[in-house]
Amino acid sequence: MSVAVRFAVRRSDDAELGSLAMSSAALVLTAAIGLLANRDADLGEVWPFLIAGLIAPGLSQVFFVRAVREAGAARTSVLMGTAPLVAVAIALAFLREPVRPLLLLGAGLIVAGGIALAGERVRPADFRRLGVLFALIATVLFAVRDNVLRSFAKGSDVHALVAAPASLLAGVAGIALYLAVSRSGSWVRGYTRQLRLFLPAGILFGLSYTALFEAYYRGRVSVVAPLVATESLWGVVFSLLLLRRSELVGRWLVLGSALIVAGGAVIGVSR
Protein backbone atom coordinates (compact mmCIF):
# COMPACT_ATOMS: atom_id res chain seq x y z
CA MET A 1 0.00 0.00 0.00
CA SER A 2 2.87 2.40 0.79
CA VAL A 3 4.22 1.96 -2.73
CA ALA A 4 0.77 2.65 -4.22
CA VAL A 5 0.55 5.82 -2.11
CA ARG A 6 4.03 6.83 -3.31
CA PHE A 7 2.90 6.58 -6.93
CA ALA A 8 -0.16 8.69 -6.10
CA VAL A 9 1.63 11.46 -4.20
CA ARG A 10 4.08 11.89 -7.09
CA ARG A 11 1.22 13.40 -9.10
CA SER A 12 -0.78 14.81 -6.21
CA ASP A 13 -0.30 18.24 -4.68
CA ASP A 14 -2.79 17.66 -1.86
CA ALA A 15 -1.92 14.91 0.65
CA GLU A 16 -4.84 15.69 2.95
CA LEU A 17 -7.49 15.47 0.22
CA GLY A 18 -5.68 12.39 -1.09
CA SER A 19 -6.09 10.84 2.37
CA LEU A 20 -9.83 11.46 2.18
CA ALA A 21 -10.05 9.98 -1.32
CA MET A 22 -8.05 6.91 -0.34
CA SER A 23 -10.07 6.29 2.84
CA SER A 24 -13.41 6.80 1.10
CA ALA A 25 -12.47 4.29 -1.61
CA ALA A 26 -11.56 1.80 1.11
CA LEU A 27 -14.87 2.54 2.86
CA VAL A 28 -16.93 1.67 -0.22
CA LEU A 29 -15.02 -1.60 -0.68
CA THR A 30 -15.26 -2.71 2.96
CA ALA A 31 -18.94 -1.71 3.13
CA ALA A 32 -19.66 -3.91 0.11
CA ILE A 33 -17.80 -6.83 1.70
CA GLY A 34 -19.60 -6.31 5.00
CA LEU A 35 -23.00 -6.16 3.32
CA LEU A 36 -22.35 -9.44 1.52
CA ALA A 37 -21.08 -11.12 4.69
CA ASN A 38 -23.76 -9.97 7.12
CA ARG A 39 -26.99 -8.41 5.94
CA ASP A 40 -28.69 -8.49 9.36
CA ALA A 41 -26.16 -6.51 11.38
CA ASP A 42 -27.38 -4.44 14.33
CA LEU A 43 -25.84 -1.06 13.53
CA GLY A 44 -26.74 0.25 16.96
CA GLU A 45 -23.87 -1.79 18.42
CA VAL A 46 -21.09 -0.53 16.17
CA TRP A 47 -20.52 2.80 17.94
CA PRO A 48 -17.39 1.63 19.83
CA PHE A 49 -15.66 0.97 16.52
CA LEU A 50 -16.35 4.55 15.47
CA ILE A 51 -13.93 5.62 18.21
CA ALA A 52 -11.23 3.36 16.78
CA GLY A 53 -11.90 4.79 13.32
CA LEU A 54 -11.46 8.39 14.44
CA ILE A 55 -7.97 7.48 15.70
CA ALA A 56 -7.02 5.44 12.65
CA PRO A 57 -7.56 5.79 9.78
CA GLY A 58 -9.05 9.18 10.71
CA LEU A 59 -6.22 11.27 12.09
CA SER A 60 -3.44 8.78 11.34
CA GLN A 61 -4.12 8.57 7.61
CA VAL A 62 -3.26 12.22 7.06
CA PHE A 63 0.10 11.72 8.76
CA PHE A 64 0.70 8.47 6.86
CA VAL A 65 0.18 9.96 3.41
CA ARG A 66 2.32 12.98 4.27
CA ALA A 67 5.03 10.64 5.60
CA VAL A 68 5.14 8.77 2.29
CA ARG A 69 5.34 12.07 0.42
CA GLU A 70 8.16 13.46 2.57
CA ALA A 71 10.16 10.31 3.45
CA GLY A 72 9.25 7.81 0.72
CA ALA A 73 7.40 4.50 0.70
CA ALA A 74 10.29 2.26 1.83
CA ARG A 75 11.30 4.41 4.79
CA THR A 76 7.72 4.97 5.91
CA SER A 77 7.08 1.21 5.77
CA VAL A 78 10.15 0.52 7.89
CA LEU A 79 9.18 3.13 10.48
CA MET A 80 5.62 1.79 10.59
CA GLY A 81 7.16 -1.60 11.36
CA THR A 82 8.01 -0.32 14.84
CA ALA A 83 4.29 -0.38 15.67
CA PRO A 84 4.52 -3.72 17.56
CA LEU A 85 6.84 -2.10 20.10
CA VAL A 86 4.27 0.62 20.78
CA ALA A 87 1.23 -1.66 20.49
CA VAL A 88 2.65 -4.33 22.80
CA ALA A 89 3.75 -1.72 25.35
CA ILE A 90 0.18 -0.39 25.45
CA ALA A 91 -1.24 -3.92 25.59
CA LEU A 92 1.01 -4.84 28.50
CA ALA A 93 0.07 -1.70 30.40
CA PHE A 94 -3.68 -1.53 29.78
CA LEU A 95 -4.86 -4.95 28.52
CA ARG A 96 -2.75 -6.89 31.02
CA GLU A 97 -1.23 -9.15 28.39
CA PRO A 98 1.60 -11.31 29.82
CA VAL A 99 5.25 -10.18 29.83
CA ARG A 100 7.79 -12.69 28.51
CA PRO A 101 11.56 -12.51 27.91
CA LEU A 102 11.05 -12.93 24.17
CA LEU A 103 8.92 -9.80 24.16
CA LEU A 104 11.88 -7.85 25.51
CA LEU A 105 14.22 -9.44 22.96
CA GLY A 106 11.84 -8.52 20.14
CA ALA A 107 11.63 -4.97 21.43
CA GLY A 108 15.42 -4.78 21.45
CA LEU A 109 15.63 -5.94 17.83
CA ILE A 110 13.08 -3.32 16.79
CA VAL A 111 15.05 -0.60 18.55
CA ALA A 112 18.23 -1.86 16.82
CA GLY A 113 16.41 -1.63 13.49
CA GLY A 114 15.49 1.95 14.27
CA ILE A 115 19.13 2.75 15.05
CA ALA A 116 20.22 1.20 11.75
CA LEU A 117 17.67 3.31 9.92
CA ALA A 118 18.91 6.43 11.70
CA GLY A 119 22.46 5.65 10.53
CA GLU A 120 21.41 5.55 6.88
CA ARG A 121 23.12 8.13 4.69
CA VAL A 122 21.84 7.15 1.21
CA ARG A 123 18.58 9.01 0.74
CA PRO A 124 16.55 10.27 -2.22
CA ALA A 125 16.83 13.92 -3.20
CA ASP A 126 13.27 14.69 -2.09
CA PHE A 127 13.70 13.09 1.35
CA ARG A 128 12.58 15.33 4.22
CA ARG A 129 13.20 14.57 7.91
CA LEU A 130 9.74 15.86 8.66
CA GLY A 131 8.43 12.71 6.99
CA VAL A 132 10.07 10.63 9.74
CA LEU A 133 8.12 12.57 12.37
CA PHE A 134 4.88 12.10 10.43
CA ALA A 135 5.54 8.35 10.15
CA LEU A 136 6.22 8.01 13.87
CA ILE A 137 3.04 9.92 14.77
CA ALA A 138 1.04 7.69 12.41
CA THR A 139 2.67 4.62 13.98
CA VAL A 140 1.66 5.64 17.51
CA LEU A 141 -1.89 6.35 16.37
CA PHE A 142 -2.13 2.98 14.60
CA ALA A 143 -0.81 1.24 17.73
CA VAL A 144 -3.39 2.99 19.92
CA ARG A 145 -6.10 2.02 17.43
CA ASP A 146 -4.99 -1.62 17.50
CA ASN A 147 -5.40 -1.79 21.27
CA VAL A 148 -8.72 0.04 21.23
CA LEU A 149 -9.94 -2.29 18.49
CA ARG A 150 -8.82 -5.41 20.35
CA SER A 151 -10.48 -4.27 23.58
CA PHE A 152 -13.77 -3.64 21.75
CA ALA A 153 -13.56 -6.83 19.67
CA LYS A 154 -13.35 -9.10 22.72
CA GLY A 155 -16.91 -10.03 23.59
CA SER A 156 -18.49 -7.97 20.80
CA ASP A 157 -21.40 -9.40 18.83
CA VAL A 158 -20.64 -7.14 15.87
CA HIS A 159 -19.17 -9.08 12.96
CA ALA A 160 -15.60 -8.09 12.04
CA LEU A 161 -16.64 -7.38 8.45
CA VAL A 162 -19.28 -4.94 9.74
CA ALA A 163 -16.99 -3.32 12.31
CA ALA A 164 -14.37 -2.56 9.62
CA PRO A 165 -16.52 -0.26 7.43
CA ALA A 166 -18.01 1.35 10.56
CA SER A 167 -14.51 2.25 11.68
CA LEU A 168 -13.61 3.53 8.22
CA LEU A 169 -16.79 5.63 8.13
CA ALA A 170 -15.67 7.42 11.30
CA GLY A 171 -12.21 7.84 9.80
CA VAL A 172 -13.56 9.39 6.61
CA ALA A 173 -15.81 11.69 8.63
CA GLY A 174 -12.86 12.74 10.78
CA ILE A 175 -10.68 13.60 7.78
CA ALA A 176 -13.56 15.47 6.11
CA LEU A 177 -14.18 17.47 9.30
CA TYR A 178 -10.48 18.33 9.53
CA LEU A 179 -10.49 19.59 5.94
CA ALA A 180 -13.70 21.56 6.44
CA VAL A 181 -12.32 23.31 9.52
CA SER A 182 -8.82 23.96 8.20
CA ARG A 183 -9.83 25.14 4.72
CA SER A 184 -12.40 27.34 3.06
CA GLY A 185 -15.68 26.15 1.60
CA SER A 186 -13.98 24.98 -1.58
CA TRP A 187 -11.98 22.24 0.20
CA VAL A 188 -13.59 19.46 -1.86
CA ARG A 189 -12.36 20.96 -5.13
CA GLY A 190 -10.12 18.43 -6.83
CA TYR A 191 -11.56 15.43 -4.98
CA THR A 192 -12.36 13.55 -8.20
CA ARG A 193 -8.77 13.85 -9.39
CA GLN A 194 -7.41 12.70 -6.02
CA LEU A 195 -9.80 9.76 -6.02
CA ARG A 196 -8.51 8.71 -9.42
CA LEU A 197 -4.89 8.95 -8.23
CA PHE A 198 -5.43 7.21 -4.90
CA LEU A 199 -7.93 4.55 -6.03
CA PRO A 200 -5.35 1.69 -6.26
CA ALA A 201 -4.05 2.57 -2.79
CA GLY A 202 -7.62 2.79 -1.51
CA ILE A 203 -8.47 -0.69 -2.79
CA LEU A 204 -5.37 -2.14 -1.13
CA PHE A 205 -6.19 -0.23 2.03
CA GLY A 206 -9.74 -1.60 2.10
CA LEU A 207 -8.62 -5.20 1.65
CA SER A 208 -5.91 -4.89 4.29
CA TYR A 209 -8.30 -3.21 6.73
CA THR A 210 -10.81 -6.02 6.37
CA ALA A 211 -8.09 -8.59 7.03
CA LEU A 212 -6.85 -6.56 10.01
CA PHE A 213 -10.25 -6.60 11.71
CA GLU A 214 -10.63 -10.32 11.14
CA ALA A 215 -7.20 -10.82 12.73
CA TYR A 216 -7.90 -8.73 15.83
CA TYR A 217 -11.17 -10.55 16.39
CA ARG A 218 -9.16 -13.76 16.65
CA GLY A 219 -5.77 -12.88 18.15
CA ARG A 220 -3.97 -10.81 20.76
CA VAL A 221 -2.36 -7.50 19.96
CA SER A 222 1.05 -8.96 20.85
CA VAL A 223 0.54 -11.61 18.15
CA VAL A 224 -1.26 -9.73 15.37
CA ALA A 225 0.74 -6.47 15.50
CA PRO A 226 4.11 -8.19 14.80
CA LEU A 227 2.61 -10.04 11.83
CA VAL A 228 1.25 -6.78 10.45
CA ALA A 229 4.69 -5.22 10.94
CA THR A 230 6.16 -7.49 8.26
CA GLU A 231 4.94 -4.73 5.95
CA SER A 232 8.38 -3.20 6.59
CA LEU A 233 10.03 -5.97 4.62
CA TRP A 234 7.40 -6.00 1.90
CA GLY A 235 7.53 -2.22 1.62
CA VAL A 236 11.27 -2.35 1.00
CA VAL A 237 10.96 -5.26 -1.44
CA PHE A 238 8.29 -3.58 -3.56
CA SER A 239 10.15 -0.28 -3.39
CA LEU A 240 13.24 -2.05 -4.76
CA LEU A 241 11.19 -3.59 -7.55
CA LEU A 242 9.03 -0.61 -8.50
CA LEU A 243 10.63 2.55 -7.11
CA ARG A 244 14.32 1.72 -7.06
CA ARG A 245 15.56 4.88 -8.77
CA SER A 246 13.56 7.30 -6.65
CA GLU A 247 13.72 5.48 -3.31
CA LEU A 248 17.49 4.75 -3.23
CA VAL A 249 17.23 1.71 -0.96
CA GLY A 250 20.62 1.23 0.72
CA ARG A 251 22.06 -1.48 2.94
CA TRP A 252 21.20 0.33 6.18
CA LEU A 253 17.55 0.54 5.16
CA VAL A 254 17.52 -3.18 4.31
CA LEU A 255 19.27 -4.01 7.61
CA GLY A 256 16.86 -1.83 9.57
CA SER A 257 13.82 -3.45 7.98
CA ALA A 258 15.25 -6.95 8.60
CA LEU A 259 15.89 -6.21 12.28
CA ILE A 260 12.44 -4.70 12.76
CA VAL A 261 10.72 -7.65 11.08
CA ALA A 262 12.86 -10.05 13.14
CA GLY A 263 11.85 -8.21 16.30
CA GLY A 264 8.21 -8.44 15.33
CA ALA A 265 8.59 -12.16 14.63
CA VAL A 266 10.19 -12.76 18.04
CA ILE A 267 7.36 -10.86 19.71
CA GLY A 268 4.90 -13.01 17.78
CA VAL A 269 6.42 -16.36 18.79
CA SER A 270 6.64 -15.21 22.41
CA ARG A 271 2.98 -16.15 22.71
Side-chain angles (χ1 to χ4, degrees):
M1 184 176 72
S2 297
V3 174
V5 171
R6 180 64 165 169
F7 276 116
V9 296
R10 280 178 168 180
R11 295 191 292 160
S12 171
D13 56 357
D14 194 334
E16 287 80 10
L17 192 57
S19 299
L20 178 64
M22 177 179 169
S23 297
S24 56
L27 170 60
V28 172
L29 177 59
T30 57
I33 294 173
L35 184 62
L36 291 174
N38 194 333
R39 295 175 179 268
D40 301 320
D42 184 359
L43 299 181
E45 297 182 3
V46 304
W47 66 266
F49 298 99
L50 300 178
I51 299 174
L54 285 174
I55 300 170
L59 185 58
S60 69
Q61 201 66 13
V62 175
F63 287 106
F64 173 73
V65 172
R66 295 197 67 177
V68 173
R69 184 178 67 182
E70 303 293 342
R75 287 155 184 83
T76 298
S77 294
V78 172
L79 289 166
M80 296 292 288
T82 63
L85 184 60
V86 181
V88 171
I90 296 172
L92 294 176
F94 296 100
L95 299 184
R96 297 182 180 180
E97 296 196 0
V99 179
R100 295 185 175 89
L102 285 177
L103 284 176
L104 301 179
L105 175 59
L109 288 170
I110 289 174
V111 171
I115 294 172
L117 184 61
E120 180 199 26
R121 292 294 179 266
V122 179
R123 293 167 180 165
D126 60 351
F127 174 83
R128 301 291 182 271
R129 291 185 181 274
L130 187 59
V132 174
L133 177 60
F134 289 150
L136 292 175
I137 293 173
T139 298
V140 172
L141 290 171
F142 277 124
V144 171
R145 185 279 314 276
D146 289 347
N147 283 278
V148 170
L149 170 57
R150 176 59 180 165
S151 65
F152 288 151
K154 291 188 299 183
S156 175
D157 294 327
V158 179
H159 196 285
L161 297 181
V162 174
S167 177
L168 274 170
L169 176 62
V172 170
I175 298 172
L177 179 62
Y178 163 78
L179 290 172
V181 171
S182 61
R183 302 185 182 187
S184 61
S186 60
W187 63 270
V188 294
R189 183 178 302 166
Y191 173 80
T192 303
R193 179 174 183 270
Q194 298 302 321
L195 181 61
R196 186 171 62 253
L197 294 175
F198 283 88
L199 182 59
I203 292 173
L204 294 172
F205 180 31
L207 294 174
S208 67
Y209 209 68
T210 298
L212 181 73
F213 269 66
E214 288 283 5
Y216 275 119
Y217 262 68
R218 291 166 170 77
R220 294 176 177 172
V221 172
S222 55
V223 175
V224 177
L227 294 174
V228 174
T230 59
E231 68 177 303
S232 295
L233 186 58
W234 294 112
V236 171
V237 168
F238 284 116
S239 293
L240 275 170
L241 293 174
L242 303 174
L243 298 168
R244 188 167 188 172
R245 291 184 178 180
S246 62
E247 288 288 302
L248 295 179
V249 177
R251 65 177 182 272
W252 286 107
L253 182 60
V254 175
L255 176 61
S257 66
L259 287 171
I260 288 172
V261 170
V266 170
I267 291 174
V269 300
S270 69
R271 181 184 181 189

